[in-house]
Structures are given as structure tokens and as C-alpha cells.
Amino acid sequence: MLAKIKETTEFIQKKINFTPEFGIILGTGLGGLVKEIEIIHQIKYQDIPNFPVSTVEGHQGNLIFGKIEGRNIVAMQGRFHFYEGYSMQEITLPIRVLKFLGIKYLFVSNASGGMNPDFEVGDLMIINDHINLFGTNPLIGKNIDELGPRFPDMSEAYDRKLIELALQAAKELGVNVKQGVYAGVSGPTFETPAEYKYIRAIGADAVGMSTVPEVIVARHMNLTCFALSVITDSGVPGQIIEITHTDVQEIAGKAEPQMAAIIKKMLNSL
Ligand code: HPA
């Protein structure tokens, strides 16, 4: 795996002369942030050795290097999901590469179903912790000590200072944000009402099909993480209605400007 990470990093470094400080995964809900990037370089995933190719509608595949608020960033326009059939190591390889390219921070966005009865569809939730319900872990296998420790600490997976900064940014923008625990599941099925109830009972506020593998790998490499979720549907008993991927994208799209504004403000004050 290390050889692949190095090969991919070297391929990118040969093409570009740029050191990013922030990695941003433009998941569902953050696609609009692309408009805020002063783009310097852009590489298609399909042209990058060892990169998987996104198979999900609404997830494009570009690695974008540039500036937001004067900060050097690299954005993943499109992410990989375990349900696409890739291994945990494959979906998180890009995070390894971003670290090798120089990032210190990882910002992530996603869409999720909200089980907390105080949440409404369309709300933004700052992720303050997670529960891994994938039934597997991207760090399973021989540990590569060059990447990180065998038993990484997860006591503060989501950086408290960044959460404070996000709360401050939201306040200044007049955007209402919630905070909560995100449960990561494999999907691709949305949850049954019994599953939403179960996931709520074990302590989660929202559930989605991404982010957890990426944050585990990022924490393994000691990257400082921040994640924002848009609640696109309700998992609250009595409020559960039939949903589709299109509904999820539509609701997430509406929250995009607010999400982008928060990230922009955070980058400005970091
Ligand atoms: N469950 C899982 N993933 C999701 C959901 C959900 O309700 N909404 C958006 N992504």
C-alpha cells in the first residue's frame, strides 16, 4: 500500500508545484464550494494512478488544487464509498495521498438522515464524534508504522477548536447549526425504521454512508479533522417517509451555500 501511495503522490507532484495545507472532501452538500476556489491545477481521478473512480451520480471525479481565502487547498470533487465495491483501503487511499502532498487539516462534508428529534430536514450538523457501524475498519491489516500507530487514539477525532471556530462562523453568518454524533454505515440501503431507532438508541444523532473511514485514516496520520453534515431526511419515528438519492441531493443542494460560507469563514480565520 505504501508503494501505491508514494507512486500516486509522485505522479501528482510531477504535474504540479503546489503544497496544499487543507484537504477538503466535497461530499454531498459541499459541491458548491468549487465556485469559491481560485483553481490552479485540476486532475481527473481517472488520470491518477491507483485512484478509484466515483460511480455515484452527483459525485464528480476531480482533484482540484487552488486557493480559498488565500489558503492553499486541495479539494476532492467526488468521494468514494464502501458500497461502490471498493475496499476500505481503496476508498481511503486519496486521504493518504493528500497527507503525503502536505495537508495538515481535513475538512469533510456529507449528507445524512437525522434521528435526533430536535433536527429538521435541511439542518446543518457539525459532527462532534462518530460511531463506526461499517462492520470493518480501514486500518485492518498489517500496520504501516510510517503512516501512523497500530492503535490510534480516537478520543478527539473531530477537533474541538475547529468545532468552536465553526460555531463562531455560523453565528456570524446567522446560520443555525446543530451538533451531534454521526453513525457511519455501509449502505447502500437507507435504513429501515427499526434501524434508525437502533442507531439512535446507541447514541447517534445522524446516519450516513461515508466520512467514518476517511476520518479514521486521517486520524491514523494525525490530521486535524472537521466534518459538517446536512440532514437530508428524517429517521425520527413517525416522520420517516420514502426517500430517494434525488431527494437527498436536492435537499443537500439547498444547504450548499451555507455550508460553503461556513468553511470559507473558517479558512479565513485559521
Ligand atoms: N441514511 C443513510 N445515509 C444517508 C441518509 C440516511 O437516511 N440520508 C443521506 N444519506
Side-chain angles (χ1 to χ4, degrees):
M1 183 171 65
L2 193 56
K4 275 190 181 175
I5 298 164
K6 286 183 176 166
E7 182 195 9
T8 307
T9 307
E10 280 160 22
F11 170 86
I12 294 167
Q13 282 171 334
K14 267 194 202 129
K15 281 197 175 283
I16 64 160
N17 181 18
F18 181 84
T19 304
E21 185 185 8
F22 297 89
I24 307 174
I25 304 179
L26 304 175
T28 311
L30 254 192
L33 196 66
V34 168
K35 291 189 233 108
E36 308 291 338
I37 309 174
E38 201 185 298
I39 299 176
I40 298 173
H41 303 281
Q42 183 164 328
I43 314 176
K44 286 197 186 83
Y45 289 166
Q46 64 203 59
D47 296 334
I48 306 175
N50 307 314
F51 252 56
V53 174
S54 180
T55 64
V56 193
E57 226 173 285
H59 286 266
Q60 296 175 63
N62 291 298
L63 200 56
I64 302 172
F65 295 86
K67 287 183 186 280
I68 300 179
E69 298 286 310
R71 314 307 298 266
N72 283 6
I73 66 108
V74 52
M76 285 182 63
Q77 189 180 32
R79 65 138 64 84
F80 307 105
H81 303 83
F82 190 49
Y83 62 70
E84 291 176 78
Y86 296 114
S87 71
M88 277 277 174
Q89 279 84 8
E90 283 169 330
I91 62 170
T92 53
L93 178 120
I95 315 301
R96 302 286 194 194
V97 172
L98 298 195
K99 162 82 181 186
F100 274 49
L101 289 172
I103 67 163
K104 301 280 184 283
Y105 297 89
L106 182 70
F107 285 28
V108 184
S109 76
N110 63 47
S112 61
M115 289 92 59
N116 184 325
D118 296 336
F119 293 178
E120 279 169 42
V121 167
D123 275 354
L124 296 187
M125 182 187 94
I126 295 170
I127 300 178
N128 58 23
D129 206 346
H130 77 215
I131 300 174
N132 177 13
L133 292 180
F134 279 81
T136 181
N137 189 301
L139 304 182
I140 288 174
K142 188 177 178 329
N143 187 58
I144 301 171
D145 297 335
E146 204 173 328
L147 298 176
R150 171 73 290 185
F151 301 107
D153 173 70
M154 291 295 275
S155 63
E156 194 183 322
Y158 300 84
D159 187 73
R160 287 211 187 93
K161 284 199 209 86
L162 289 185
I163 293 173
E164 284 307 315
L165 205 62
L167 289 170
Q168 187 60 36
K171 198 172 158 192
E172 285 170 26
L173 291 162
V175 173
N176 170 34
V177 286
K178 304 288 200 312
Q179 256 194 81
V181 174
Y182 174 91
V185 295
S186 74
T189 43
F190 290 114
E191 286 63 36
T192 63
E195 286 166 345
Y196 282 124
K197 195 172 167 186
Y198 161 76
I199 300 165
R200 175 69 180 151
I202 63 168
D205 297 286
V207 57
M209 306 174 196
S210 68
T211 304
V212 167
E214 294 147 352
V215 168
I216 288 174
V217 163
R219 291 304 300 144
H220 183 231
M221 301 183 294
N222 207 25
L223 289 174
T224 303
C225 297
F226 174 76
L228 204 49
S229 189
V230 49
I231 308 294
T232 54
D233 51 276
S234 178
V236 175
Q239 294 178 18
I240 300 165
I241 54 164
E242 193 180 328
I243 47 161
T244 64
H245 181 55
T246 311
D247 299 332
V248 167
Q249 282 179 296
E250 202 177 301
I251 305 276
K254 284 189 194 145
E256 246 179 37
Q258 293 181 337
M259 270 209 178
I262 291 173
I263 301 288
K264 222 179 133 182
K265 222 177 195 3
M266 289 173 76
L267 288 173
N268 178 278
S269 51
L270 264 164

